[in-house]
Amino acid sequence: MNFIRTKFLKKISRDFYNEFSEYFNLEYKLVKTLPSELFNLNIKNQIPDHIARRKDGGYLIFEFQSTALRKDDILRFFGYASRIYQETGESVDLVVFSTIEKKDNEIIVKWGQGNQFTIHIKSLKEKKAEIALNKIKDRIRNNESARTEDIISLVFLPFFTSEKSLQERFKELYDLTKKIKMDPKDRDTVESMQIILTEKLIKDKTSKKELRKLIRMRLTIIEDIMKEERELGIEQGKRSIIQNMLKKGMDINEISTITDISINEIKDIKDGE
């Protein structure tokens, strides 16, 4: 579950990186995204969720965090930044999008002679769910297409502050996602993420079953993914997921879009069957 959830979060932040930055009130202007592999950033078998090139010449790392920040996390983040700095000589900042922290915060790590590394913590709870929902409802009433900010809201809204229950929010999200005009690929991404978050956040089995019935998309693919990841390790599960998708007759490009796994890696898995 964590593997495929992170893949979709990375896809959203990568496809809409400047809008994503603006949505969460970041002061950075970004010019392009970069693969983590570019800087050999594997630290304790973990790599950054997302890296972007800043307009001012530095770099910005995005991380999605569903647990409280620990010292090990901060050291790992600093490890990412220091490696990029050593290779480029340019400044690096990091943004943590937290589903658990109650408010925005900053952690500044000073090092060397006058150097500092800033970790910006952006709390998703700082956002008000009703404000985002009302914007989407207005768009539907006016027969307008979804904007990038709406797509981001439809994915992250379950983490926003709201007086409604989580189940009520998911029901409303499903309904609005179905009604609003949207590019089919964006709709698939949004609905996939909503399914994944339903599985992650809704604990009551009856409520989960009821919510599943409201989703339009092909549930079998996502259910296969979640089953494989529960039963197998991530790497082994990833291979098995791709094989199952290929057996269902899915196109390689479509699989790459859904999983964010490279086309070449999918071809290698297919050739090795």
Side-chain angles (χ1 to χ4, degrees), residues 13 21 36 47 71 81 92 108 117 119 144 166 170 186 216 225-226 238 250 261:
S13 62
S21 182
S36 301
I47 60 174
K71 185 177 180 180
V92 184
I108 297 177
F117 166 55
I119 300 174
E144 297 174 359
L166 197 55
F170 271 117
D186 290 338
R216 172 188 68 82
I225 290 171
M226 292 184 295
K238 182 169 68 173
M250 293 182 65
I261 296 170

Side-chain angles (χ1 to χ4, degrees), residues 122-137:
K122 303 300 292 185
S123 168
L124 299 187
K125 294 182 184 296
E126 287 263 316
K127 292 284 187 180
K128 305 296 183 184
E130 276 65 37
I131 293 176
L133 284 170
N134 287 335
K135 285 185 178 181
I136 296 170
K137 290 175 183 177

Side-chain angles (χ1 to χ4, degrees), residues 23-24 124 126-141 146-162 164 169 172-173 176-177 180:
Y23 187 93
F24 289 101
L124 299 187
E126 287 263 316
K127 292 284 187 180
K128 305 296 183 184
E130 276 65 37
I131 293 176
L133 284 170
N134 287 335
K135 285 185 178 181
I136 296 170
K137 290 175 183 177
D138 286 342
R139 214 87 71 199
I140 294 171
R141 277 194 293 269
R147 300 179 185 177
T148 302
E149 66 176 293
D150 304 320
I151 294 169
I152 296 172
S153 293
L154 287 168
V155 170
F156 288 93
L157 199 139
F159 300 112
F160 296 173
T161 297
S162 175
K164 296 180 180 179
R169 273 179 278 165
E172 195 163 15
L173 280 179
L176 294 177
T177 302
I180 195 166

Side-chain angles (χ1 to χ4, degrees), residues 256-269:
S256 181
T257 299
I258 291 173
T259 63
D260 203 24
I261 296 170
S262 71
I263 291 175
N264 287 338
E265 188 174 355
I266 295 170
K267 286 181 178 178
D268 288 344
I269 292 173

Side-chain angles (χ1 to χ4, degrees), residues 37-172:
E37 295 78 10
L38 187 65
F39 300 104
N40 188 26
L41 296 179
N42 189 318
I43 297 177
K44 295 184 177 179
N45 293 321
Q46 296 189 66
I47 60 174
D49 289 332
H50 179 70
I51 302 174
R53 180 73 165 156
R54 302 191 328 237
K55 192 173 183 179
D56 64 8
Y59 296 87
L60 185 66
I61 300 172
F62 289 167
E63 283 285 317
F64 298 96
Q65 191 92 0
S66 59
T67 58
L69 277 183
R70 301 170 301 176
K71 185 177 180 180
D72 284 352
D73 294 319
I74 295 173
L75 290 174
R76 174 166 54 86
F77 297 159
F78 179 68
Y80 296 152
S82 62
R83 288 190 185 181
I84 294 176
Y85 177 80
Q86 286 170 1
E87 290 195 29
T88 67
E90 295 181 285
S91 64
V92 184
D93 283 344
L94 185 141
V95 180
V96 176
F97 297 98
S98 173
T99 63
I100 194 169
E101 301 291 341
K102 293 183 179 179
K103 58 184 180 180
D104 294 349
N105 195 7
E106 281 189 357
I107 298 174
I108 297 177
V109 180
K110 295 184 178 181
W111 57 282
Q113 296 183 350
N115 295 316
Q116 70 177 37
F117 166 55
T118 304
I119 300 174
H120 305 273
I121 301 172
K122 303 300 292 185
S123 168
L124 299 187
K125 294 182 184 296
E126 287 263 316
K127 292 284 187 180
K128 305 296 183 184
E130 276 65 37
I131 293 176
L133 284 170
N134 287 335
K135 285 185 178 181
I136 296 170
K137 290 175 183 177
D138 286 342
R139 214 87 71 199
I140 294 171
R141 277 194 293 269
N142 296 328
N143 199 30
E144 297 174 359
S145 296
R147 300 179 185 177
T148 302
E149 66 176 293
D150 304 320
I151 294 169
I152 296 172
S153 293
L154 287 168
V155 170
F156 288 93
L157 199 139
F159 300 112
F160 296 173
T161 297
S162 175
E163 295 180 358
K164 296 180 180 179
S165 71
L166 197 55
Q167 184 176 355
E168 288 174 325
R169 273 179 278 165
F170 271 117
K171 283 184 178 179
E172 195 163 15

